[in-house]
Each structure stands twice: as C-alpha cells, then as structure tokens.
Amino acid sequence: MRNKTLTTLCIAAITAALAGASPAQTPAPAPAPAQPAAPTFATTKVEGTKNVYVFRYQNHQAMFVVTPAGVIVTDPISYGRPQAAKTYLEEIRKITPAPIKYLIYSHHHYDHAAGGKVFKEAGAVVIAHRRAKERLAVLKNPDVVMPDETVDDKRTIKLGGTTLELAYVGRNHSDSSLVMLLPKEKILFAVDFNALGAVPSRLAVNDSYPVEWEASLKKTLALPWDRQIPGHPGPNGRLGTRQDMEQQLAFMTELSAEVKKASDAGKCFDPAN
Ligand SMILES: [Zn+2]
C-alpha cells in the first residue's frame, strides 16, 4: 500500500523534486542560429538492418518492419492529423507492396494510438496490451481503432523470417506499455517511458506510476537490445542507447529517494502509511 500511496498522492513532492532536477534551473543557452525547418515527415531505414524502418511525422515516430510475407506496423501517430497515417502507409507502399499484417500499439495514449483505420482497412490485425484495450473501450474515441487481439505479458510474432517479441514491462508512463524487441537485430521500440537526455513526459501527472517505473526500466534493460527507437525523435534524430536508459534509471532512483524523503517529512497531500 505504501507504494500505491506514494504513487498517487505525492504528486506535489514529485513536482518539487523534478523542479530541483530540471534543466530549467540552469541559465538558458544563447539562441541557436536559425535552422531550416525539418520536413513534416521522414522515413529512415535503421542503419545495419535490411528491413527495419522509422517513420517520423512531426514530433512523433514509430517503427515498422518489412518482410516478404507482410509488414508489421506500430503506432499510427495520427491524433488530430489523419494525414499522418495516410502518409505513413504511402511511405510503406514506396518500399513494398506486401500486405499490412499487424498494427501494434505501444500504449493507449491517443497521440500514439490514434489513426489506425487506414492500416485496419489494409488488413492489419490490431494488437495492444490488455489494459490498453480496456481503457480504449471506455474512452470510445472514434479515431482510435479498437485492438483485435491483446497481450498480457508477452507474445512472439514471426513473419517472413523476422521475429518480433512483444513484452509488458510493468506500469511506467502508462499502465499499458508494450515494448517491442527484434532479438536478431537487437533493436527495441519503447515509447514515452524513457527519454533520451530529458525528463520523461507525464512523470508528474496522475496516470503515471513513478515508483513502479524504476522496476519497469530494469526489466527493459534486462532484455537483449543495443539500440532503441523512441516514440519521439531523440537529439539529432539519434537512437537510444543502453546508457541513455541507465541514466534514466539513475534519475528515477534519485527522484524516488527525494520523494520518499518528502513523504517521510509529511510533505505529501496525505502522509504515506
Ligand atoms: Zn504516452
């Protein structure tokens, strides 16, 4: 119960601890010289792979895998902009005419999960964590395609010579995050619960789970991957490394210690017991 109480009632303490750790405390750097605006979208093959791609649209991105037997698509990233998923499919069609076999959601948040209709219509089986389906069933957003199949702990998808492992690593940024691992390529697609060189998003809001988050990062680090595709582009579009995630874990551990101190000092809304 203590963890639960800490998780749900110590938002003020977390916010205070975050403020202490936030880059906002350091003086603002001089403005960078004007850069040409990035194109609205881009499709990039992951270096060293034959068939793993990142589709970016504005500030969101998703992984897709092309095999001779079909395509595995993740996150439609089209909340409030149906054009993103249409472009996503057009970009895939420039690479392959193979059928779209799967659409897999990283978690239930609309900015990643909305817009799957074009993939569903192209024949995809939609897969998400069980909790994502439960949440989406209540929310009933017409722009989000309901999952056809759900995953509890793990599932392995084999398609056209590629293996993709889906794993639930516990509650973190949401309670419905699936990480997606390509074991042969050692590439991981993991969204929103770690950020490259930044504080992870939604850390201090109600539907995140700061205490369990650390365990989730540890479970993810226990998987065999070298490079991570994040759900939002990293600095200069780079992929994540294990070191990035280890740093994130160290940050979370420090944050938990601060929150516990605040809690013990009675600074939470309701003292933990
Ligand atoms: Zn999210």
Side-chain angles (χ1 to χ4, degrees):
M1 282 309 289
R2 182 182 183 85
N3 279 359
K4 186 164 190 294
T5 310
L6 274 172
T7 303
T8 55
L9 297 176
C10 285
I11 301 304
I14 291 168
T15 307
L18 270 176
S22 162
Q25 295 293 304
T26 55
Q35 305 249 338
T40 304
F41 65 89
T43 301
T44 314
K45 188 191 268 190
V46 176
E47 218 180 294
T49 71
K50 291 196 182 80
N51 62 345
V52 183
Y53 295 83
V54 177
F55 172 72
R56 177 190 64 77
Y57 197 97
Q58 293 171 339
N59 196 37
H60 288 74
Q61 59 186 21
M63 174 179 81
F64 67 94
V65 185
V66 175
T67 84
V71 184
I72 303 170
V73 176
T74 69
D75 291 351
I77 56 172
S78 296
Y79 184 53
R81 50 177 194 199
Q83 186 56 43
K86 287 191 189 119
T87 304
Y88 192 168
L89 183 55
E90 284 162 14
E91 289 288 282
I92 293 169
R93 286 292 169 244
K94 288 180 189 169
I95 298 165
T96 178
I100 308 295
K101 288 286 193 184
Y102 298 102
L103 169 64
I104 308 165
Y105 296 153
S106 63
H107 63 306
H108 73 279
H109 291 158
Y110 292 161
D111 59 325
H112 298 273
K117 192 159 169 270
V118 293
F119 298 111
K120 177 75 182 165
E121 285 172 357
V125 172
V126 183
I127 302 176
H129 185 257
R130 177 180 48 79
R131 188 71 187 127
K133 184 168 185 175
E134 288 169 4
R135 284 187 174 274
L136 293 171
V138 173
L139 295 166
K140 291 192 172 65
N141 183 316
D143 295 332
V144 181
V145 176
M146 284 298 288
D148 300 305
E149 296 176 7
T150 60
V151 177
D152 262 324
D153 286 326
K154 55 181 151 182
R155 174 171 171 181
T156 300
I157 291 175
K158 287 181 191 264
L159 184 70
T162 291
T163 298
L164 178 68
E165 291 173 2
L166 313 182
Y168 177 63
V169 290
R171 301 199 293 186
N172 40 51
H173 156 96
S174 75
D175 62 358
S176 64
S177 302
L178 282 181
V179 301
M180 307 181 206
L181 172 71
L182 291 159
K184 194 175 80 185
E185 295 82 359
K186 295 200 163 188
I187 290 170
L188 183 81
F189 179 50
V191 175
D192 278 1
F193 67 94
N194 75 311
L196 280 46
V199 174
S201 62
R202 298 180 82 104
L203 188 52
V205 296
N206 279 327
D207 79 331
S208 73
Y209 305 89
V211 174
E212 290 154 87
W213 202 318
E214 284 176 73
S216 185
L217 288 169
K218 283 178 191 164
K219 278 188 194 162
T220 308
L221 280 163
L223 298 171
W225 57 273
D226 291 333
R227 290 180 288 170
Q228 181 220 340
I229 299 170
H232 301 273
N236 302 314
R238 76 174 175 87
L239 301 185
T241 63
R242 295 184 68 84
Q243 194 187 10
D244 287 318
M245 199 172 284
E246 279 155 10
Q247 279 170 357
Q248 188 87 64
L249 175 59
F251 170 82
M252 299 294 297
T253 305
E254 195 181 323
L255 182 64
S256 289
E258 288 301 315
V259 171
K260 184 172 184 308
K261 256 192 270 170
S263 165
D264 291 347
K267 288 181 185 162
C268 289
F269 298 148
D270 186 329
N273 49 39

